[in-house]
Amino acid sequence: GALVTVIAVIAIVPYLALQLKAVGMSVEVLAGTSRAESPFADTALYIALLLAAFAILFGTRGIDASEHHRGMMLAIAAESLVKLLAFVVVGAYALTRGTHLEALTQPIQAAAREALPRGFIAQSVLAFVAILCLPRQFQVGVVECENASDVRPARWLFPLYLALICVFALPIAYSGAMAAQGHHVNADTYVLWLPLANGDGLFAVLAYVGGFSAATGMVIVASVALATMISNELVMPVLLRIRALRLEQRDDLSGIVLGVRRVAIVVLALLAFTYYRA
């Protein structure tokens, strides 16, 4: 358990940093600025701390590892709908910017003409395994599952959700690339750049809100899952072995466990921000 926790922390801190980078980059694109030189002037720092506070409030109320966080899951579900709505709207917007369905068919035709990019199979397998093995996926799919009957609708809702995301990713990528010709634009920001390039600020704000929802949901759930693992598998076993603390003589250790989890969430947020800046 300790080894798995260490591996998970090492692997997921860069992943959390990637979400902070996405949020920070989105703010820069909307504001037309570059990344702040001082870390204390970086929007991502305060977003990281706010997300840590949210995760603490909604994800560390009890010490049971199988505890259901209904408030947190309701927020994540709402964010998922916002993300999907924003992505579909921007995807439909991208289709209107193409020549009929060219924005949808052109990427497929180009992929059919060319060989698969190097590492495509390995990346696809890793993505498939990640759905089953990431702590945040386990947290949502297993720990937070209150009723086994929920799995039945999830069998078709989850693939449908992914299918919609994949279909609209094609016109956004194509139309974004067309709009960005002659400009130095990061491909990750096409979903924002496309409406901005056409002077449609409302669609750009909607795209930002959708992206923000996606990033925050991932960070919150991953932080709660990792904090539980850190407290149960790393910190508490060490504290219980320190005889001077005499923790084994206490009847209730819940306050200490919750304190450890809350500190872990803040530390994870700061580590992710440091990784992003570095």
Side-chain angles (χ1 to χ4, degrees), residues 55-71:
I56 288 171
L57 289 172
F58 286 89
T60 58
R61 293 188 173 188
I63 63 170
D64 186 0
S66 60
E67 173 194 7
H68 295 130
H69 307 95
R70 292 184 178 90

Side-chain angles (χ1 to χ4, degrees), residues 77-110:
E79 286 185 330
S80 298
L81 288 176
V82 170
K83 174 180 69 173
L84 182 63
L85 175 64
F87 205 79
V88 169
V89 169
V90 177
Y93 175 85
L95 281 173
T96 64
R97 295 293 154 181
T99 306
H100 300 295
L101 291 180
E102 183 185 23
L104 183 58
T105 59
Q106 186 67 23
I108 298 175
Q109 294 170 357

Side-chain angles (χ1 to χ4, degrees), residues 2 25 27 39 52 55 57 59 62 65 79 85 112 138-140 162 189 195 225 242 274:
M25 188 186 299
V27 173
L57 289 172
E79 286 185 330
L85 175 64
F138 186 85
Q139 180 77 25
V140 173
L162 292 179
T189 64
I242 300 176
T274 302

Side-chain angles (χ1 to χ4, degrees), residues 169-181:
L170 293 174
I172 290 174
Y174 177 77
S175 299
M178 294 296 101
Q181 285 184 345

Side-chain angles (χ1 to χ4, degrees), residues 111-186:
R113 289 193 303 267
E114 302 170 8
L116 290 175
R118 187 176 183 181
F120 178 82
I121 299 298
Q123 290 177 359
S124 299
V125 172
L126 282 173
F128 170 76
V129 173
I131 291 177
L132 304 174
C133 298
L134 281 177
R136 68 181 177 88
Q137 300 285 30
F138 186 85
Q139 180 77 25
V140 173
V142 179
V143 177
E144 302 291 352
C145 184
E146 297 189 39
N147 195 327
S149 63
D150 292 341
V151 176
R152 188 177 297 276
R155 286 175 178 168
W156 62 270
L157 276 173
F158 186 51
L160 178 62
Y161 191 98
L162 292 179
L164 286 171
I165 291 288
C166 290
V167 166
F168 285 103
L170 293 174
I172 290 174
Y174 177 77
S175 299
M178 294 296 101
Q181 285 184 345
H183 302 274
H184 181 67
V185 180
N186 190 319

Side-chain angles (χ1 to χ4, degrees), residues 184-210:
H184 181 67
V185 180
N186 190 319
D188 292 337
T189 64
Y190 281 171
V191 70
L192 272 177
W193 169 257
L194 179 60
L196 284 176
N198 290 286
D200 294 313
L202 182 61
F203 283 98
V205 171
L206 180 63
Y208 171 77
V209 171

